[in-house]
Amino acid sequence: MKQISSFEWGRIIALFAVIAIHAKPFMTMPIIDDLPWVGLLVNQVSRFAVPLFFILAGFLVQPRLIAAPFQTLKRYSFPLLKVWAAWSIIYLLTPFNLQTVAEKGYLAERSGYWNYLLQNPLNTLFEGGLVHLWYIPALLSAVAILAALISIKQEKCILPIAFALYIFGLIAGSYEPIFGIESPLLTRNGPFFSTLIVALGFEIRRHKLTISQPIALSLLLGGMSLHLAEAYFLMSKGVDFNIHDFLVGTPVWVLGIFFLLQANPTFGDCPRVSRWSKDVLGVYLCHLLVIIYILNIARMINIDDLIRDLTIIPLTFIISMVLIWLIELTPLKRVLLR
């Protein structure tokens, strides 16, 4: 399939949103009722990012899954599992708190983190060496479910199963204080949310669905508004505003973004977007380590909070891109990059 420029541009925008989620800018700036609403809103307005990755993946993999479901699953999974394992090892071995290393030593700093991971081995299995790596097992879980259903010619069951998983993910996740249902696996991880979003992309391409730009924009604004309203409502149930990865409005929101990108395929059609887009996965994999060290250095040299918050997102992107370009110059690219 010919590269669709708007999809590549969408992935780059989503990457900046992921960086914003993990960098947590403006969280030291109380605005109303001692809550840092600027930081909280930046966090939740960025939550379209990983769902957009999922829906684009489902759209792009659809023809291959239909043609050869398990062969496609194997070819799709191996390179992603390889980089997931490699970066997990890096994150397990790399110290996060330089002050603790200086005061107590490397093993003291790392053993605390290793013990934290061992307290919940099931979640660790579906995440890897650091929290953001959950994206890869979740994506592969969704593709595996789709491949299994296609192989037994049960495509009609894809959306019902995906919706059921999503509903369980909600009631045992953000809505757990209301329903009282718990899951041994954090429902953001694994197949609970990813399956529906990947399936939406898959079905859009399978049925050649398109919608008008005004309807797409309505979905985007309506879904985002619903997501934010849910997050605000759940504060009354003791759930922090900024912890939600997926809510009821999230699939509607990402559908609106996807259909807008689909309706404008030449948006972002320039060589720079093409160059940057090929490094999106690499930057996703390394960016959190970059953020961790930027924050370490900012603390050590006592950088003003506002300056740190204004610069951390572009600085993380630039350093991560340079790191990926350097890796591409070495034999490590076969292990660390897809």
Side-chain angles (χ1 to χ4, degrees), residues 85-161:
W87 283 97
S88 289
I89 293 169
I90 289 172
Y91 284 117
L92 287 171
L93 297 178
T94 305
F96 299 156
N97 192 318
L98 298 181
Q99 185 175 350
T100 301
V101 173
E103 294 174 355
K104 300 180 181 179
Y106 171 81
L107 282 179
E109 195 277 345
R110 284 291 80 195
S111 61
Y113 183 63
W114 297 335
N115 289 333
Y116 165 76
L117 294 179
L118 290 172
Q119 288 173 9
N120 199 330
L122 186 59
N123 274 319
T124 299
L125 177 65
F126 279 87
E127 287 180 358
L130 195 56
V131 61
H132 71 301
L133 298 178
W134 72 270
Y135 164 73
I136 290 177
L139 173 61
L140 296 183
S141 297
V143 174
I145 290 172
L146 266 62
L149 291 172
I150 294 165
S151 70
I152 58 174
K153 303 189 185 306
Q154 293 298 314
E155 290 91 337
K156 65 180 182 294
C157 295
I158 288 175
L159 284 180
I161 290 173

Side-chain angles (χ1 to χ4, degrees), residues 205-255:
R205 188 164 186 185
R206 186 162 77 102
H207 295 290
K208 298 180 172 60
L209 299 177
T210 59
I211 62 174
S212 68
Q213 291 192 64
I215 295 176
L217 184 60
S218 298
L219 289 174
L220 189 164
L221 295 176
M224 182 177 68
S225 299
L226 178 56
H227 178 107
L228 294 175
E230 291 175 79
Y232 185 76
F233 162 74
L234 288 166
M235 291 178 69
S236 66
K237 306 299 178 182
V239 185
D240 291 342
F241 184 88
N242 62 316
I243 70 164
H244 308 286
D245 294 284
F246 297 88
L247 292 168
V248 174
T250 316
V252 181
W253 183 8
V254 75
L255 278 172

Side-chain angles (χ1 to χ4, degrees), residues 157-180:
C157 295
I158 288 175
L159 284 180
I161 290 173
F163 272 113
L165 287 169
Y166 197 93
I167 291 167
F168 176 80
L170 289 174
I171 65 176
S174 291
Y175 283 86
E176 185 274 331
I178 295 174
F179 292 96

Side-chain angles (χ1 to χ4, degrees), residues 49-65:
V50 173
L52 184 58
F53 289 146
F54 283 148
I55 198 169
L56 289 172
F59 183 87
L60 295 172
V61 80
Q62 183 270 336
R64 288 175 286 159
L65 268 181

